[in-house]
Amino acid sequence: MEPIPLLTPYKMGQLDLAHRIVLAPLTRQRSYGNVPQPHAAVYYAQRATPGGLLITEATGVSNTAQGYSDTPGIWTAEHVEAWKPIVDAVHAKGALFFCQIWHVGRVSTYEFQPGGAAPLSSTDKGIGPQTSFDGHIEEFSPPRRLAVEELPAIVDDFRKAARNAIDAGFDGVEIHGANGYLIEQFLKDSANDRIDEYGGSLENRCRFALEVVDAVVKEVGGHRVGIRLSPFTDLLECHDSDPHSLALHMSTKLNDHDVLYLHMIEPRMAVVDGRRVVPKRLLPYREAFKGTFIANGGYDREEGGKVVAEGYTDLVAFGRLFLANPDLPKRFEVGAELNKYDRMTFYSSDPVVGYTDYPFLE
């Protein structure tokens, strides 16, 4: 019988993976008061397999990094201690665990900011009201443009968060440089209207991101650092006039820092004869980047297997399918039917419903 490409082993730097299926970072909003909770240990351990790679939900690097209720943090000693049993539960199943470190930038409101201050960003341009998947309107407070002399402190927040993650027992960190949040607000020209050394040219717009990468790599080692980018998305009014050049520049520059992996989000997939077709738009960046490449973009078993078999990517990150199918690698192995996910419980605060109650095959 032909081996299923997604279930073949892979060596990622110094780490041995038993398969190519990665748990994508998924915001779940169940870390009450930004403190990770015991139910997270159940949730992540359910999705852990020997030699599998899991990435945490986006985890704030500071008290200015928040934009949603009950998302976890990694900036205090209390956070570090709270993460330890969760990491232990994942390691007990033989899996590897990376912490995604995050600053929301302007995707926030006064109520989430210390002292009711304005959210921090590359710009003072705000985001208009956004309609969420369940139909309610989200509004954001006008941001404050960070001064050049303030940026080293933000870079240092990422550095300290990376150190804290390693102290909590994580195998590495993923820098969140995607989805319209702070790093991407610097990267993309729709959100970066600066005229200093952090704005204008492609090189200038990438400066902040690469300073974060440099600081984190120097703190914990490039063999423990990944980064997530979404050059082709237009989330939260963050888009770029030349996403190809942005993606190629970052993919190439990351090599200077010996980063372990690049996790990139696909452009929207085309639909042909009722099936989605992977446009292979990420190939130039996969070829430019020297480390492990992770593709993410609503793949299923067949599409994921195809892109691994063709060498288009090394690993495939699964989000909603893995959320609803804690035993996703096993289901892929035997070709089992998949549980359907329930969008309405993605971000509820219930510690069980829509979180740890999705059924296993057995």
Side-chain angles (χ1 to χ4, degrees):
M1 199 167 124
E2 280 289 295
I4 298 165
L6 283 169
L7 296 173
T8 54
Y10 176 75
K11 190 162 185 67
M12 182 172 78
Q14 302 170 5
L15 305 172
D16 291 312
L17 301 181
H19 58 75
R20 316 289 185 113
I21 301 163
V22 179
L23 174 66
L26 297 162
T27 292
R28 304 309 314 271
Q29 292 184 252
R30 288 162 167 89
S31 297
Y32 312 136
N34 306 126
V35 180
Q37 299 294 310
H39 47 250
V42 179
Y43 170 77
Y44 285 112
Q46 283 180 337
R47 287 153 185 79
T49 52
L53 174 62
L54 278 59
I55 306 168
T56 69
E57 59 212 280
T59 301
V61 299
S62 70
N63 63 352
T64 67
Q66 305 306 302
Y68 304 92
S69 59
D70 298 328
T71 51
I74 190 78
W75 74 88
T76 71
E78 183 188 11
H79 296 148
V80 173
E81 290 307 310
W83 272 116
K84 283 179 179 176
I86 302 167
V87 176
D88 288 347
V90 168
H91 284 160
K93 298 280 288 286
L96 297 154
F97 206 13
F98 273 53
C99 181
Q100 191 192 58
I101 53 176
W102 179 51
H103 194 302
V104 300
R106 66 179 181 170
V107 188
S108 188
T109 61
Y110 300 136
E111 67 174 302
F112 287 112
Q113 295 301 310
L120 306 174
S121 183
S122 60
T123 179
D124 50 18
K125 284 193 298 188
I127 312 169
Q130 306 282 308
T131 306
S132 73
F133 70 91
D134 59 0
H136 82 272
I137 304 295
E138 292 181 287
E139 299 202 29
F140 305 96
S141 301
R144 176 175 74 78
R145 184 192 307 267
L146 282 155
V148 169
E149 57 271 19
E150 292 179 284
L151 294 177
I154 307 289
V155 170
D156 203 51
D157 287 337
F158 277 92
R159 179 193 66 78
K160 288 186 284 199
R163 172 50 56 197
N164 285 346
I166 300 305
D167 289 348
F170 284 103
D171 299 288
V173 295
E174 175 176 288
I175 297 164
H176 197 344
N179 301 108
Y181 298 115
L182 181 64
I183 289 175
E184 195 170 81
Q185 290 158 31
F186 276 87
L187 290 173
K188 292 188 172 178
D189 57 17
S190 75
N192 187 337
D193 56 357
R194 303 173 75 96
I195 53 170
D196 56 28
E197 62 265 43
Y198 290 89
S201 70
L202 185 57
E203 193 169 347
N204 282 359
R205 284 184 282 118
C206 293
R207 190 184 306 277
F208 174 69
L210 292 169
E211 285 177 355
V212 170
V213 169
D214 185 57
V216 169
V217 165
K218 282 176 177 162
E219 183 65 36
V220 302
H223 64 292
R224 288 184 172 141
V225 179
I227 185 169
R228 189 182 214 213
L229 299 174
S230 58
F232 294 96
T233 63
D234 177 10
L235 286 168
L236 299 160
E237 296 179 20
C238 218
H239 51 88
D240 197 76
S241 59
D242 185 359
H244 168 68
S245 295
L246 172 60
L248 197 59
H249 183 79
M250 283 297 292
S251 303
T252 306
K253 287 291 182 185
L254 287 168
N255 294 324
D256 299 341
H257 301 276
D258 292 325
V259 170
L260 177 64
Y261 72 73
L262 171 55
H263 179 185
M264 200 174 277
I265 299 171
E266 288 278 0
R268 290 194 180 278
M269 296 191 192
V271 178
V272 178
D273 298 329
R275 275 202 70 79
R276 292 179 328 142
V277 179
V278 180
K280 302 256 183 349
R281 294 250 315 260
L282 302 186
L283 198 56
Y285 324 118
R286 191 264 199 279
E287 290 172 345
F289 179 67
K290 302 288 193 286
T292 292
F293 197 85
I294 305 177
N296 180 273
Y299 284 96
D300 61 15
R301 178 179 183 261
E302 185 181 325
E303 294 158 350
K306 193 162 181 280
V307 291
V308 167
E310 292 173 353
Y312 173 72
T313 189
D314 299 307
L315 309 173
V316 181
F318 293 88
R320 288 167 293 191
L321 290 188
F322 218 151
L323 179 157
N325 296 274
D327 52 356
L328 188 67
K330 183 70 182 172
R331 286 175 190 260
F332 278 178
E333 182 187 344
V334 300
E337 192 179 338
L338 300 180
N339 301 323
K340 296 204 169 16
Y341 53 81
D342 178 5
R343 283 177 181 276
M344 302 313 284
T345 58
F346 281 179
Y347 309 113
S348 77
S349 59
D350 195 289
V352 175
V353 178
Y355 191 58
T356 59
D357 62 346
Y358 281 103
F360 288 75
L361 274 174
E362 285 91 35

